[in-house]
Structure formats: structure tokens, C-alpha cells
Amino acid sequence: DLFFFQKTIFFSFAGVRPFICDICKKAFKHKHHLAEHRRLHTGEKPFQCSKCLKRFSHSGSFSQHMNHRYKYCRSYQNEASSS
């Protein structure tokens, strides 16, 4: 809607950061950035590679792994059998 769009433009150009971390008080312009940041405090890693089982807290790190590292990562099954 128009109000949301106007608010988003205002926050972007005014440098307003209305989303604040309860733990460290770091501020963010976008709610989803705060949600990703909170994972640093909680240790949550909701994204997981199905091949090597490595976990990621940020979707971007997971995507980068899948796009550039997946073909090189070792299968967790191979790791288990070599132990």
C-alpha cells in the first residue's frame, strides 16, 4: 500500500533504524535484518546443506554455499564411513 511504500522510502533516505536488537541494541532499517542478526545471539542455524550437513544462520551464506561450494563439499555419508 502507499503508506508502507512512503514509510520505506523515508526510512531509507533518512537513515532511520527502527528495529532494535533487545540484546545488544544494534539497530536495523529492516525487520528481516534484525531477525537474521538475532540468530548470532541464539546460535540458530535454520539453513542446512543436504550433502555435507553444514548449517548456516543466514540465507545468503547458504545460497553461496549451494551455488559455489556444493559440488566440492564432502558428503556426510563419506565422512561417517571413513571414521
Side-chain angles (χ1 to χ4, degrees), residues 8-60:
T8 303
I9 296 298
F10 173 75
F11 284 166
S12 296
F13 289 106
V16 176
R17 295 173 180 261
F19 304 101
I20 301 170
C21 176
D22 298 339
I23 298 168
C24 70
K25 307 305 179 203
K26 186 170 182 176
F28 299 89
K29 288 182 183 180
H30 306 286
K31 189 175 183 178
H32 67 276
H33 290 165
L34 173 59
E36 286 190 334
H37 168 78
R38 278 194 189 124
R39 293 184 193 135
L40 295 174
H41 298 298
T42 65
E44 179 189 9
K45 294 184 176 184
F47 307 99
Q48 185 175 30
C49 174
S50 59
K51 186 175 180 184
C52 68
L53 300 185
K54 185 172 182 176
R55 300 184 72 91
F56 302 88
S57 59
H58 287 78
S59 61

